[in-house]
Amino acid sequence: MRYLTRTAARRIYDRIGALQDTQAFYEEPALDVLIREGHFDTATSVFEFGCGTGRLAARLLEAVLPAEASYVACDISPKMVALARQRTSRFGPRVRIFQNDGDPQAVFDGQRFDRIVTSYVLDLLRPDETDAFLEEARDALMPDGMLCVTSITPGRTFPASAISHAWTALNRLSPVLTGGCRPIELPETLASDIWVVTHSSTVVSYGIASSVVVAAPRTSAAPNGP
């Protein structure tokens, strides 16, 4: 498997800019499930890793999160940070969005949150970067906090499988062609000795399969966990 360097990823997403929102046709159904199963309506502090244009942040702040909830987000792309700040500016000091260099070990800065969310980002990272992010996220979650993740995943039905195989082939040819993203088996990335998965499902929209996972650190109380 081939992966984008952080510099290449930053350049690509700076070029894509607001066009990233054209992916909403397959992302929104998965995000609907993520929001519901992550119980964001009871969250008081949220961190988003890889916020893109701020579409999810604005949706949560406007219609889901309690009025007192705070939102912190980061992205590797200066263009995305600018777009996300513009999109969420009406929420004032409740929101802080910053650029980071893509290092999963340098995002939380000692702060703790009751929800950590990342959508369509782990399918861009190298496996070691994903492991580093998950370790940091575990330590940054408050007691009873939840990690909420969605990503592209291999399809199971014939149409979805055909699309995911084509997507993987393009990524292997050149990760630039897919923005660095490729289908991954998301639940398998969460080590069972560290995480309790409270929800795992696959959502297919327009033939594109997305995995939705909500998990809690095994050391915290995890409703519905084994």
Side-chain angles (χ1 to χ4, degrees), residues 70-208:
S70 63
Y71 204 101
V72 180
C74 70
D75 202 277
I76 194 173
S77 161
K79 179 65 173 179
M80 293 299 183
V81 168
L83 289 169
R85 285 175 175 169
Q86 181 180 18
R87 196 170 211 159
T88 59
S89 62
R90 66 186 186 277
F91 301 106
R94 293 176 62 195
V95 184
R96 181 171 70 90
I97 299 173
F98 65 96
Q99 182 189 350
N100 82 314
D101 65 0
D103 182 357
Q105 294 180 297
V107 295
F108 298 111
D109 195 30
Q111 299 178 78
R112 302 187 76 188
F113 304 87
D114 60 15
R115 298 292 185 280
I116 294 175
V117 59
T118 184
S119 62
Y120 302 97
V121 175
L122 298 192
D123 47 23
L124 173 66
L125 303 184
R126 301 191 313 265
D128 62 304
E129 291 176 321
T130 296
D131 290 344
F133 168 75
L134 292 173
E135 183 175 346
E136 295 295 318
R138 177 195 60 190
D139 295 339
L141 278 170
M142 293 179 180
D144 302 320
M146 289 186 282
L147 174 69
C148 306
V149 190
T150 186
S151 72
I152 298 296
T153 199
R156 307 303 181 196
T157 64
F158 176 76
S161 177
I163 289 173
S164 63
H165 275 92
W167 196 313
T168 299
L170 280 175
N171 183 268
R172 287 175 175 163
L173 179 65
S174 172
V176 171
L177 297 174
T178 63
C181 299
R182 82 281 182 195
I184 63 172
E185 297 285 1
L186 185 57
E188 295 179 6
T189 68
L190 279 75
S192 60
D193 60 333
I194 297 174
W195 297 97
V196 176
V197 174
T198 60
H199 174 84
S200 179
S201 63
T202 299
V203 178
V204 179
S205 180
Y206 293 90
I208 299 175

